[in-house]
Amino acid sequence: MSPKYNHENERIKRTYFEWLKTPKQRDEKTISQARKSLVRFENFTGYKDFRHFHIKQAIGFKKHLTESTAIKSQGSLSVSTVVSTIRDIKKFFQWLSSKKGYKTISLDDLEYFNPSKKEISISQSPKMLNYPTIEQIKNVISQMPAENAIQK
């Protein structure tokens, strides 16, 4: 049974979150999202040390995300969730690759985290909103009281 955390990973993640908060001035919500993304990645890898990153992890993780189930909806994860999670992980490893002890992480290998152009397009498209029809609007207006100046 693999551990539920890795001491070295926890230390470097704490440093990363502090870096996001202070010099990068990221909002707490952004940091929380990065934290969730890293937890997903670590769960997938069985909490392997980040020093042992390999492109197979990036490829497998992307596939894993597209096959994962969303907790709230019990459906598959949305494309925007997949894309933002992948981007969070890539940004983390880009930052990590410049740190002592992690310089073996190749920036070229991190390109395997790139989402497809189709995924990017879907994630950036606006959500379709349902608006009331003209008939529905007319019906609501016709049912409104209009007996005095205030009601009108």
Side-chain angles (χ1 to χ4, degrees), residues 87-104:
R87 284 188 175 155
D88 288 343
I89 299 302
K90 183 177 178 181
K91 287 176 189 175
F92 170 73
F93 276 105
Q94 285 172 331
W95 172 84
L96 190 61
S97 68
S98 68
K99 303 299 171 229
K100 185 179 179 181
Y102 296 90
K103 295 191 185 233
T104 58

Side-chain angles (χ1 to χ4, degrees), residues 118-130:
K118 181 179 179 183
E119 289 170 326
I120 292 170
S121 176
I122 292 170
S123 72
Q124 292 175 344
S125 63
K127 290 183 178 180
M128 296 299 293
L129 300 175
N130 292 327

Side-chain angles (χ1 to χ4, degrees), residues 26-76:
R26 296 296 187 254
D27 184 80
E28 192 56 44
K29 189 174 178 181
T30 302
I31 297 168
S32 178
Q33 185 59 47
R35 190 175 281 116
K36 286 179 189 176
S37 296
L38 282 167
V39 166
R40 279 186 169 142
F41 182 76
E42 285 187 294
N43 280 330
F44 171 75
T45 63
Y47 297 87
K48 288 185 182 172
D49 193 317
F50 292 139
R51 286 181 179 90
H52 303 298
F53 172 77
H54 192 272
I55 60 173
K56 289 181 182 177
Q57 289 175 334
I59 294 167
F61 183 61
K62 282 174 55 177
K63 185 174 189 250
H64 169 75
L65 282 178
T66 58
E67 296 170 353
S68 292
T69 303
I71 294 170
K72 289 182 182 175
S73 68
Q74 294 301 311
S76 59

